[in-house]
Amino acid sequence: MVTPPFVPNIDWNNQYDNIIDNKPIDTMTHIPSQLSKDSYSHSHPYPQPHTHSHPYDTSHSHSHAFLEYNYNVLTPTGNDNIMVQGHAVSIEGTLGTVTNPENIHLALLNNKNEDNKLIHLDPVPNFLDKADIKPWLQKIFYPQGIELVIERSDNTKVVFKCKASKRGKNAKEPMFSNDHHEKLSKHDHNNSNTSEDDSPQEDSTGQKKEKKKKKKRSVSRFNVCPFRIRATYSLKRKKWGIVVLNNSHSHDLEFNPNSEEYKKFKDKLKSDNDVEAIKKFDELEYRIRVHLPIQNTMIPCDCGMTSEIQSFNIVLPNTSSSTTTTTKNNLIHKPQLKKKITDSLLQQTAKKKFIAVHYNNENKSNSNSNSNIKQENQLPTVSNIPDFIDDPFDQAKNYDSTDNFLYTNNSSLLPMTLTESEDIMDLNEIDFTNIFTKSFNGNMNIQSTTTPTTIENDTSHGIASNETNHNGLTRTELDLIDNLTPVSSLSMFHNDYINHTESILNEPQSRLGSNHTPAMNYSSPHHIARNVGMQPINGSNDSQMQHLPNILQPNHTGIPHKGSPLYLNKELDILHTTNSPSPSVMSRDVFDMENYQIKNEPPEHLPSDINIQAHLNVSDDPLVKIHESDDQINNWLSSLYQPH
Amino acid sequence: MVTPPFVPNIDWNNQYDNIIDNKPIDTMTHIPSQLSKDSYSHSHPYPQPHTHSHPYDTSHSHSHAFLEYNYNVLTPTGNDNIMVQGHAVSIEGTLGTVTNPENIHLALLNNKNEDNKLIHLDPVPNFLDKADIKPWLQKIFYPQGIELVIERSDNTKVVFKCKASKRGKNAKEPMFSNDHHEKLSKHDHNNSNTSEDDSPQEDSTGQKKEKKKKKKRSVSRFNVCPFRIRATYSLKRKKWGIVVLNNSHSHDLEFNPNSEEYKKFKDKLKSDNDVEAIKKFDELEYRIRVHLPIQNTMIPCDCGMTSEIQSFNIVLPNTSSSTTTTTKNNLIHKPQLKKKITDSLLQQTAKKKFIAVHYNNENKSNSNSNSNIKQENQLPTVSNIPDFIDDPFDQAKNYDSTDNFLYTNNSSLLPMTLTESEDIMDLNEIDFTNIFTKSFNGNMNIQSTTTPTTIENDTSHGIASNETNHNGLTRTELDLIDNLTPVSSLSMFHNDYINHTESILNEPQSRLGSNHTPAMNYSSPHHIARNVGMQPINGSNDSQMQHLPNILQPNHTGIPHKGSPLYLNKELDILHTTNSPSPSVMSRDVFDMENYQIKNEPPEHLPSDINIQAHLNVSDDPLVKIHESDDQINNWLSSLYQPH
DNA sequence: TAATGGGTGCACT
DNA sequence: AAGTGCACCCATT
Ligand SMILES: [Zn+2]
Ligand SMILES: [Zn+2]
């Protein structure tokens, strides 16, 4: 709609030289602006096309962003090397973490927010209009599978949160006719009071004595995701600061290029002539369409042996994970490493909540060639549904073991046990064949995109608009919110496990366990990994390997490669800037398809899974339907390349 | 802000000739437009200054509103006679009630909404821009003590609700550290299932069988008032229809002329040159300032003996009232009528929930001279806080007698009993000296307005902006929402009684009981009643009568009486249209001050009340502070008139 | 389709 | 990590 003449060529892949490794700096470190490659501040003189230009921002100077936070966690990268050195990303300061926007995926993975750590983005452009903040953040967080909307804004503050999911179409009948409802939230996570929060706790101070934070209720019973990004304008420094406030989600992360918000975002990029960003997102869309790894979710390995790492599809919870399950649906192939290995890995960074075990297939100088795996029947993340109705920001919840039961009748709930320090996955089935190092990564649910002619009839389309629930809340859970009896409401704070339990039947490939901090995961049933140096994963009964032929040779587009720092991978050729959904425009240099193979997982569940699924009424799980569309895409790919 | 050239001279005091008394009409009755005196449709050609003109409204014709609803309840009035004949206002059809906007106060009083009856407004102007609907409704509902805001709107619909109260500034410390919270809402009020809603009720139909309404959660934990007004544009009829959806409130009704919304409304009236409306609201403001009766809340008596009725300050709940209280704080003077009289009165109209016993001091041909009483320590209405968090629209709540307890500790709650058909007030203290008839009326909380120079330092100002709670929710109640234990949460659905209990200490003059449908009440500590034919109420220990001398002779303004139908009372002279808060501009003809007396109630509580108040921590009750400002006003009045 | 009901983005207050 | 007024939007019937 709006066609501002300003072109914010934000390039969050720029390399910043002002990175300090593992050295907390308590003093404000002002990096000369020349070191910052922030294209925003290099943009054209700002015409302030919007109506909400900051009143205090009287200067149109081209000042650059500074590094002004205490650097406790750093991802040292050279301009041509974004490899993460060591485990610095997991080292955090008391005030939080500062991360370069280009490495936001690392910070998000390693700063799971059970302790409300902040993630400061730095550098940040000198936004002259707060309306420019959202597009800039969208460039960063769309590839992370996070679609941002503004929760609140004024002249000095913009608060972003996850966009609410499309709600389901058919509201199911409430199971219980009673209307009792209950909320359970914990507070006092900022004081050291370890007493039982559920007890009335009438201490000697009497009423209205202690100074505690007021609990708040979410404005929507549906959108309960606590994830927030806050942009605040500092009058002193006359610059915007951006902080990730609650780095956890109540839902799976997914990048949906069909969303209206994303289309508007793309339209704005076009109207701004942000060619490089357009190309980048075209590439992102294509990668998602053909189930290629998404670069912004790649984490370079720091072991110097990445060439041997082939693929990744496993995320391990650390010992602080508070979830477990009675069901075993692990389709991960050839478990070879046991939990002891996991524990040894977990020892290395105390703050880690997830460890993405991936196999890198080659050791290019940058991370774009990191392989990725689209997974079928992937395990969902353990949703962080903090208090269901109240206080989605409260991360310090205590789970009463006496409340570890869920309704097992028609409400699609299973009794589950809560065990601290229990891994959610059966480690006996994890394939650690090629593990000799560890690195972080996340998985992302990808809503399959088909060609425009097939989208409307695609089953995945119906999923997205029909039965998809609000930010991780299933219809059953919403029914529980409405109808839970006083007795049953005792288990309300375990609804995130409901989510997990249902989804576990459909995504057995990978499990994300943690303190309600899901990593990204892929919903695609196909595992695509570069086979350069890749050791073939010995398929289990339910895995099928499909080796792509070398037929796929996408045409080069006529758009010249600009060598812009916008590219994550300098080796990537550019995609043309059209919206063509066809992957035929993909540059061969970009994707190097002959080095990928598609590993197709069958959608069938194990017999035991089927039983549980029937019990849980998860037949309409959207992820199941996504498989169909993925199969369509796979068929399309197969017809293109004519394997066999 | 906006200065539309269009002048919607809505005069909701116009008399419509097309009133059909007590005759349900099932066929659409199209009244010739000439009969409608809707000034909206008589306005200037509409320039459509707004951006949201209805797309379907292609004609700019001056068509007039029609009476198109089934008339089941009518308030037959002649142009010079707005007396309500009989009790027709309480006769309702199955589809609801249709009321002339000028008689909205009658419909609101008599259509309390325990059964979700609709109140259709008719006639309604042919709004050519939906932006004109809100000002039109504001003209109607501001005098009713209802400040409307838009909840939702689009081209064919505008939904209004009560504006959220200003929330308290200092969030009190939560009493209980636990976070359990509970909701109780009833549904199935549209089916005849009388079984216990609180039981799990797993009937033979199994889950997801019965077609019931989904319970909803309020979008805000603060603004839980269920009152709604829905304006919908009919494409077929090409006209707007306006319906009151939930005629009940979770809070006391009050007209606050200091609110920003009201100021904007007044500004719009001025920018529209709506002189008559400006004068009317100036009059309304003045009447509130000097505690004169508010005309739009007057209900003409149908007994033909209104001249003997002196004043009113008592509202009786009928037998269906579900509230009672263990505290007795009735400051009503000289109780003479007992409950039997109340019952006999209640027999007359089965639908009545409140009966306002008032004393008319003279029998003028219209109702403007109805006296009114500003009350000190007035009892609040029994708030309709339907489910506290959930489903503010659910009116069919069942109260479990086993849950009839409230926290009695520092949370300012008292154990209360719930008894159906129990009157909330102690009838022994009601003064029925001059009762020989019944009529309806409501009381309205009036936020005292002082002169602009004193507002900032007025204690009542601090109340309004600091400790005033959201739509009837006290801070204590909000704390309860946040901190109620599972055990204590059993009583969450009685929080409206908390409200009542706390307020009863401060407003003992009148009590409004009903099924959570508060009538308007006055928070002023002064009783002002015309003493024409008025028998002095024998003051009890805590009441002090102050007889006004005849000194008060406000100057006439230079504004000529236009004889406009905008006046409720043709005998009223006009007030000038300035915003001067001084009552000196008041016309003598309008107020006839020598016939009024001010009855000043002491703000002190009875000893028993003091004890209860200390127990309940109601020292910061806003109404208490309002008394101070009212005392200031009274002092000002006393200095003017120099009594004694 | 028209009518009705509701979620939510987001800036105002 | 404001609450909410309001409109844009979607859903069901
Ligand atoms: Zn989220
Ligand atoms: Zn209300």
Side-chain angles (χ1 to χ4, degrees):
Chain A
M1 315 299 180
V2 186
T3 309
F6 174 66
V7 182
N9 290 315
I10 308 304
D11 182 1
W12 68 102
N13 292 315
N14 277 339
Q15 306 307 315
Y16 295 90
D17 298 328
N18 45 12
I19 304 295
I20 303 166
D21 190 349
N22 284 341
K23 292 181 179 179
I25 298 171
D26 291 329
T27 59
M28 296 298 234
T29 303
H30 290 256
I31 305 299
S33 61
Q34 291 80 359
L35 295 180
S36 172
K37 296 182 180 177
D38 182 5
S39 59
Y40 187 95
S41 52
H42 290 169
S43 62
H44 318 307
Y46 196 63
Q48 289 181 326
H50 304 287
T51 58
H52 298 286
S53 297
H54 200 283
Y56 305 101
D57 217 338
T58 57
S59 71
H60 288 200
S61 66
H62 289 206
S63 61
H64 296 271
F66 295 129
L67 295 177
E68 297 177 275
Y69 297 104
N70 294 332
Y71 268 72
N72 297 317
V73 177
L74 297 170
T75 56
T77 59
N79 276 335
D80 292 327
N81 177 17
I82 63 170
M83 300 295 288
V84 175
Q85 300 298 328
H87 301 280
V89 290
S90 64
I91 300 173
E92 300 173 357
T94 55
L95 296 178
T97 302
V98 184
T99 186
N100 190 299
E102 72 176 289
N103 295 323
I104 185 63
H105 55 294
L106 303 177
L108 295 179
L109 282 171
N110 292 281
N111 292 279
K112 298 302 183 184
N113 192 358
E114 74 280 3
D115 49 359
N116 283 330
K117 280 290 176 61
L118 307 179
I119 302 174
H120 294 259
L121 296 190
D122 202 289
V124 164
N126 261 358
F127 300 108
L128 298 180
D129 190 325
K130 76 180 178 68
D132 298 325
I133 300 173
K134 182 180 176 184
W136 186 79
L137 286 174
Q138 282 175 315
K139 287 187 183 178
I140 297 172
F141 285 94
Y142 261 127
Q144 311 307 319
I146 297 172
E147 184 155 42
L148 296 174
V149 296
I150 294 176
E151 181 181 38
R152 182 181 297 104
S153 73
D154 55 23
N155 283 330
T156 61
K157 175 182 61 182
V158 186
V159 179
F160 299 89
K161 65 177 180 180
C162 288
K163 179 177 177 60
S165 309
K166 291 291 185 184
R167 58 188 181 279
K169 183 181 296 180
N170 44 1
K172 296 305 178 64
E173 188 56 30
M175 209 75 50
F176 312 106
S177 59
N178 63 77
D179 302 329
H180 289 283
H181 192 58
E182 183 176 349
K183 149 203 177 305
L184 178 69
S185 65
K186 298 296 185 295
H187 54 95
D188 292 11
H189 56 76
N190 46 0
N191 64 30
S192 59
N193 186 358
T194 58
S195 64
E196 180 64 33
D197 276 342
D198 289 335
S199 63
Q201 196 180 10
E202 300 177 5
D203 53 5
S204 60
T205 59
Q207 69 283 12
K208 301 178 181 178
K209 283 296 184 293
E210 309 172 28
K211 182 60 178 177
K212 299 175 183 176
K213 297 195 306 181
K214 284 298 294 179
K215 275 165 298 304
K216 59 176 61 67
R217 207 160 305 262
S218 74
V219 72
S220 169
R221 66 166 171 164
F222 303 111
N223 190 1
V224 296
C225 182
F227 182 83
R228 292 292 185 282
I229 298 174
R230 182 181 58 197
T232 52
Y233 185 82
S234 169
L235 291 176
K236 286 186 173 60
R237 306 190 289 116
K238 296 192 182 309
K239 104 181 275 297
W240 286 89
I242 297 180
V243 181
V244 176
L245 287 172
N246 296 293
N247 182 26
S248 58
H249 296 268
S250 64
H251 53 92
D252 295 334
L253 305 183
E254 72 174 328
F255 172 69
N256 179 12
N258 294 324
S259 76
E260 291 300 319
E261 284 291 326
Y262 177 73
K263 291 174 181 173
K264 292 177 183 176
F265 166 71
K266 280 289 289 294
D267 289 341
K268 176 169 171 45
L269 292 182
K270 292 174 183 174
S271 67
D272 293 342
N273 283 326
D274 193 351
V275 180
E276 296 178 357
I278 292 169
K279 288 185 293 185
K280 180 169 190 62
F281 279 96
D282 283 340
E283 173 188 331
L284 175 65
E285 293 174 37
Y286 178 79
R287 283 181 173 272
I288 287 169
R289 228 184 306 274
V290 298
H291 313 293
L292 289 171
I294 296 172
Q295 308 196 6
N296 297 73
T297 62
M298 297 293 102
I299 294 94
C301 181
D302 60 331
C303 66
M305 298 165 68
T306 51
S307 60
E308 282 76 21
I309 296 176
Q310 301 292 323
S311 65
F312 69 93
N313 66 335
I314 298 170
V315 175
L316 297 180
N318 70 353
T319 54
S320 66
S321 173
S322 62
T323 61
T324 186
T325 178
T326 59
T327 64
K328 291 183 178 181
N329 193 23
N330 214 326
L331 301 183
I332 297 169
H333 322 292
K334 300 197 82 173
Q336 301 203 356
L337 291 186
K338 300 306 180 185
K339 187 176 180 180
K340 59 180 181 181
I341 296 178
T342 304
D343 291 338
S344 67
L345 293 177
L346 289 168
Q347 287 176 352
Q348 302 186 6
T349 59
K351 293 288 185 178
K352 289 176 187 171
K353 291 304 174 186
F354 292 97
I355 295 178
V357 181
H358 69 251
Y359 306 85
N360 289 335
N361 36 4
E362 64 183 7
N363 191 11
K364 291 186 177 180
S365 61
N366 44 35
S367 67
N368 77 306
S369 60
N370 283 343
S371 61
N372 201 348
I373 293 182
K374 310 293 189 300
Q375 304 171 18
E376 175 190 353
N377 293 334
Q378 178 195 18
L379 286 178
T381 65
V382 177
S383 298
N384 183 2
I385 303 176
D387 289 311
F388 235 85
I389 302 143
D390 299 342
D391 199 359
F393 310 108
D394 196 342
Q395 301 294 326
K397 283 176 289 298
N398 296 329
Y399 293 90
D400 189 349
S401 60
T402 62
D403 294 332
N404 290 336
F405 64 91
L406 298 173
Y407 269 100
T408 57
N409 54 11
N410 301 306
S411 62
S412 301
L413 298 179
L414 273 183
M416 304 187 72
T417 61
L418 282 176
T419 307
E420 292 287 339
S421 304
E422 277 285 325
D423 287 337
I424 193 172
M425 55 195 305
D426 188 349
L427 293 170
N428 291 325
E429 303 187 20
I430 299 174
D431 186 355
F432 286 98
T433 304
N434 293 302
I435 285 183
F436 13 76
T437 184
K438 69 286 163 198
S439 65
F440 307 111
N441 208 323
N443 298 330
M444 174 168 32
N445 275 331
I446 296 172
Q447 181 163 340
S448 297
T449 62
T450 58
T451 58
T453 56
T454 60
I455 282 179
E456 296 306 322
N457 294 328
D458 194 340
T459 54
S460 67
H461 184 74
I463 308 150
S465 59
N466 289 346
E467 281 298 338
T468 301
N469 293 313
H470 293 245
N471 279 12
L473 292 182
T474 65
R475 170 53 56 192
T476 300
E477 292 162 350
L478 290 175
D479 288 344
L480 277 176
I481 292 177
D482 291 333
N483 304 292
L484 213 57
T485 62
V487 174
S488 65
S489 60
L490 292 174
S491 62
M492 282 301 293
F493 30 133
H494 301 306
N495 278 283
D496 35 5
Y497 302 118
I498 301 167
N499 197 18
H500 164 67
T501 304
E502 292 185 347
S503 304
I504 201 171
L505 302 174
N506 296 311
E507 291 83 28
Q509 288 287 339
S510 173
R511 292 181 183 179
L512 300 176
S514 91
N515 259 342
H516 310 276
T517 51
M520 294 183 292
N521 48 55
Y522 295 87
S523 62
S524 169
H526 312 296
H527 288 210
I528 302 175
R530 292 189 116 173
N531 57 12
V532 173
M534 176 183 181
Q535 296 186 7
I537 297 173
N538 297 337
S540 60
N541 300 342
D542 54 334
S543 71
Q544 301 172 359
M545 301 299 285
Q546 294 183 355
H547 292 270
L548 271 182
N550 293 334
I551 297 174
L552 180 58
Q553 302 265 342
N555 295 327
H556 275 83
T557 65
I559 298 174
H561 188 292
K562 293 183 179 179
S564 166
L566 189 142
Y567 290 99
L568 261 180
N569 184 357
K570 289 296 196 301
E571 300 163 340
L572 288 180
D573 204 346
I574 54 175
L575 296 170
H576 64 196
T577 59
T578 65
N579 274 336
S580 170
S582 170
S584 62
V585 301
M586 176 184 66
S587 165
R588 183 175 182 272
D589 293 340
V590 173
F591 296 109
D592 197 12
M593 285 301 291
E594 69 273 15
N595 289 328
Y596 286 87
Q597 68 177 8
I598 295 177
K599 180 173 65 177
N600 192 12
E601 299 280 353
E604 291 79 24
H605 297 293
L606 294 176
S608 60
D609 298 331
I610 295 173
N611 292 336
I612 296 171
Q613 183 178 16
H615 184 72
L616 294 184
N617 290 325
V618 291
S619 60
D620 54 353
D621 191 296
L623 293 175
V624 178
K625 297 180 181 177
I626 286 176
H627 301 158
E628 306 174 13
S629 65
D630 285 338
D631 287 338
Q632 293 180 358
I633 295 172
N634 194 40
N635 292 334
W636 171 75
L637 285 174
S638 300
S639 65
L640 277 182
Y641 312 143
Q642 293 294 333
H644 305 295
Chain B
M1 314 301 179
V2 186
T3 309
F6 174 66
V7 181
N9 290 316
I10 306 305
D11 181 4
W12 67 102
N13 292 316
N14 278 339
Q15 307 308 315
Y16 296 88
D17 299 327
N18 45 12
I19 305 295
I20 302 166
D21 191 345
N22 285 339
K23 292 182 179 179
I25 298 170
D26 291 329
T27 59
M28 295 300 231
T29 303
H30 290 256
I31 306 299
S33 61
Q34 291 80 359
L35 296 180
S36 172
K37 295 182 179 178
D38 182 4
S39 59
Y40 188 95
S41 52
H42 290 169
S43 62
H44 317 307
Y46 196 62
Q48 289 182 326
H50 304 287
T51 58
H52 298 287
S53 297
H54 199 284
Y56 305 101
D57 216 339
T58 56
S59 71
H60 288 200
S61 66
H62 289 207
S63 61
H64 296 272
F66 296 127
L67 295 178
E68 297 178 272
Y69 296 105
N70 293 332
Y71 267 72
N72 297 317
V73 176
L74 297 169
T75 56
T77 60
N79 277 335
D80 292 326
N81 178 17
I82 63 169
M83 300 296 287
V84 175
Q85 302 298 327
H87 301 280
V89 288
S90 65
I91 300 173
E92 300 173 357
T94 55
L95 296 177
T97 302
V98 184
T99 186
N100 190 299
E102 72 177 288
N103 296 323
I104 185 63
H105 55 295
L106 302 177
L108 294 179
L109 282 171
N110 292 280
N111 291 280
K112 298 301 183 184
N113 192 359
E114 74 280 3
D115 48 359
N116 283 331
K117 281 289 176 60
L118 306 179
I119 302 174
H120 293 258
L121 297 189
D122 202 289
V124 164
N126 261 357
F127 299 109
L128 299 179
D129 190 323
K130 77 180 178 68
D132 298 324
I133 300 174
K134 182 180 177 183
W136 187 79
L137 285 174
Q138 282 174 316
K139 287 187 184 179
I140 297 171
F141 285 95
Y142 260 127
Q144 311 307 318
I146 297 172
E147 183 155 41
L148 296 173
V149 296
I150 294 175
E151 180 182 37
R152 183 181 295 106
S153 74
D154 55 22
N155 284 330
T156 62
K157 174 184 56 186
V158 186
V159 178
F160 298 89
K161 65 177 179 181
C162 288
K163 179 177 177 62
S165 308
K166 289 292 184 181
R167 58 189 179 281
K169 180 181 297 181
N170 43 2
K172 296 304 178 64
E173 189 56 31
M175 208 75 50
F176 312 106
S177 59
N178 64 77
D179 302 330
H180 289 282
H181 192 58
E182 184 176 346
K183 150 203 176 306
L184 178 69
S185 66
K186 297 297 184 295
H187 55 94
D188 292 9
H189 56 76
N190 46 2
N191 65 29
S192 60
N193 185 0
T194 58
S195 64
E196 180 66 31
D197 276 340
D198 290 335
S199 63
Q201 197 181 10
E202 300 177 5
D203 53 5
S204 60
T205 59
Q207 69 282 13
K208 301 177 182 178
K209 281 298 185 291
E210 308 173 31
K211 182 61 178 177
K212 298 175 184 177
K213 299 196 307 182
K214 285 296 295 179
K215 276 167 296 304
K216 62 177 67 68
R217 204 161 307 262
S218 72
V219 72
S220 168
R221 66 166 171 165
F222 303 113
N223 191 358
V224 295
C225 182
F227 183 83
R228 292 293 185 280
I229 298 175
R230 182 180 57 199
T232 52
Y233 185 82
S234 170
L235 291 176
K236 285 186 170 55
R237 305 191 289 116
K238 296 194 182 307
K239 112 180 265 300
W240 286 89
I242 297 181
V243 182
V244 176
L245 286 174
N246 297 294
N247 183 27
S248 59
H249 296 268
S250 64
H251 52 91
D252 295 335
L253 304 183
E254 72 173 329
F255 172 70
N256 178 12
N258 294 324
S259 75
E260 290 300 319
E261 284 292 324
Y262 177 73
K263 290 174 181 173
K264 292 178 183 176
F265 167 70
K266 280 290 288 295
D267 289 341
K268 176 170 171 48
L269 291 183
K270 292 174 183 175
S271 66
D272 292 342
N273 285 324
D274 194 350
V275 180
E276 296 179 357
I278 292 170
K279 289 186 292 186
K280 180 168 190 64
F281 279 97
D282 283 340
E283 174 189 331
L284 176 64
E285 294 175 37
Y286 179 78
R287 284 181 172 273
I288 287 168
R289 228 184 306 272
V290 299
H291 313 291
L292 288 171
I294 296 171
Q295 306 196 8
N296 295 72
T297 62
M298 296 293 101
I299 294 93
C301 182
D302 59 334
C303 66
M305 299 166 69
T306 52
S307 61
E308 282 75 20
I309 297 177
Q310 302 291 322
S311 65
F312 67 95
N313 66 333
I314 298 169
V315 175
L316 298 181
N318 70 353
T319 55
S320 66
S321 173
S322 62
T323 62
T324 186
T325 177
T326 58
T327 65
K328 291 184 178 180
N329 193 24
N330 213 327
L331 300 183
I332 297 169
H333 321 291
K334 298 201 83 174
Q336 302 203 357
L337 291 186
K338 300 305 180 186
K339 188 176 178 179
K340 59 180 181 182
I341 295 177
T342 304
D343 292 338
S344 67
L345 292 176
L346 289 168
Q347 289 175 352
Q348 302 186 8
T349 58
K351 292 288 186 179
K352 289 175 187 171
K353 292 303 175 186
F354 292 97
I355 295 177
V357 181
H358 68 252
Y359 304 86
N360 289 335
N361 35 6
E362 64 184 9
N363 189 12
K364 293 186 177 180
S365 62
N366 44 34
S367 66
N368 77 305
S369 60
N370 283 343
S371 61
N372 200 350
I373 293 181
K374 310 295 188 298
Q375 305 170 20
E376 174 192 352
N377 293 334
Q378 178 197 16
L379 287 179
T381 65
V382 177
S383 298
N384 181 2
I385 304 177
D387 290 309
F388 232 83
I389 302 143
D390 299 344
D391 199 0
F393 308 107
D394 197 340
Q395 301 294 326
K397 283 176 289 299
N398 296 329
Y399 292 92
D400 189 349
S401 61
T402 62
D403 294 333
N404 290 337
F405 65 91
L406 298 172
Y407 269 102
T408 58
N409 54 11
N410 301 304
S411 63
S412 301
L413 297 179
L414 274 182
M416 305 188 72
T417 60
L418 281 176
T419 307
E420 293 288 337
S421 304
E422 277 284 325
D423 286 337
I424 193 173
M425 56 193 307
D426 187 351
L427 293 170
N428 291 326
E429 302 188 20
I430 299 174
D431 186 353
F432 288 99
T433 304
N434 293 303
I435 285 183
F436 14 70
T437 183
K438 70 286 164 197
S439 65
F440 307 110
N441 209 322
N443 298 330
M444 174 167 34
N445 275 330
I446 297 172
Q447 181 164 341
S448 297
T449 63
T450 59
T451 59
T453 57
T454 60
I455 280 179
E456 295 306 322
N457 294 328
D458 194 339
T459 55
S460 67
H461 183 75
I463 308 148
S465 59
N466 288 345
E467 281 298 337
T468 302
N469 293 313
H470 294 243
N471 279 11
L473 292 181
T474 65
R475 171 53 55 192
T476 299
E477 292 162 351
L478 291 175
D479 288 344
L480 277 176
I481 292 176
D482 291 331
N483 303 292
L484 214 57
T485 63
V487 175
S488 65
S489 62
L490 293 174
S491 62
M492 281 304 292
F493 29 133
H494 301 306
N495 278 284
D496 35 3
Y497 303 117
I498 300 168
N499 196 19
H500 165 68
T501 304
E502 292 186 346
S503 304
I504 202 171
L505 302 173
N506 296 310
E507 292 83 24
Q509 288 287 339
S510 172
R511 293 180 182 182
L512 300 176
S514 90
N515 257 342
H516 309 276
T517 53
M520 294 183 291
N521 48 55
Y522 294 89
S523 61
S524 168
H526 312 296
H527 287 211
I528 301 175
R530 295 190 113 173
N531 58 12
V532 173
M534 176 182 180
Q535 297 185 9
I537 297 173
N538 297 335
S540 60
N541 298 342
D542 54 333
S543 72
Q544 302 173 0
M545 302 296 286
Q546 293 183 356
H547 292 270
L548 270 183
N550 294 334
I551 297 174
L552 181 58
Q553 302 269 340
N555 296 326
H556 274 82
T557 64
I559 297 174
H561 188 294
K562 294 182 178 179
S564 166
L566 189 141
Y567 289 100
L568 262 181
N569 184 357
K570 288 295 196 298
E571 299 163 341
L572 287 180
D573 204 345
I574 55 175
L575 296 170
H576 64 197
T577 59
T578 65
N579 275 336
S580 169
S582 170
S584 62
V585 303
M586 176 183 65
S587 165
R588 183 175 181 272
D589 291 340
V590 173
F591 297 108
D592 197 14
M593 286 302 291
E594 69 273 15
N595 288 327
Y596 286 86
Q597 68 177 9
I598 293 179
K599 181 173 63 176
N600 192 13
E601 298 280 353
E604 291 78 25
H605 296 293
L606 294 175
S608 61
D609 299 331
I610 294 173
N611 293 336
I612 295 171
Q613 184 178 16
H615 182 74
L616 295 183
N617 289 325
V618 292
S619 60
D620 54 352
D621 191 297
L623 294 174
V624 178
K625 298 181 181 176
I626 285 175
H627 300 159
E628 307 174 14
S629 65
D630 286 337
D631 286 340
Q632 294 180 359
I633 294 172
N634 194 40
N635 293 334
W636 172 75
L637 286 174
S638 301
S639 65
L640 278 182
Y641 311 145
Q642 291 293 333
H644 305 295

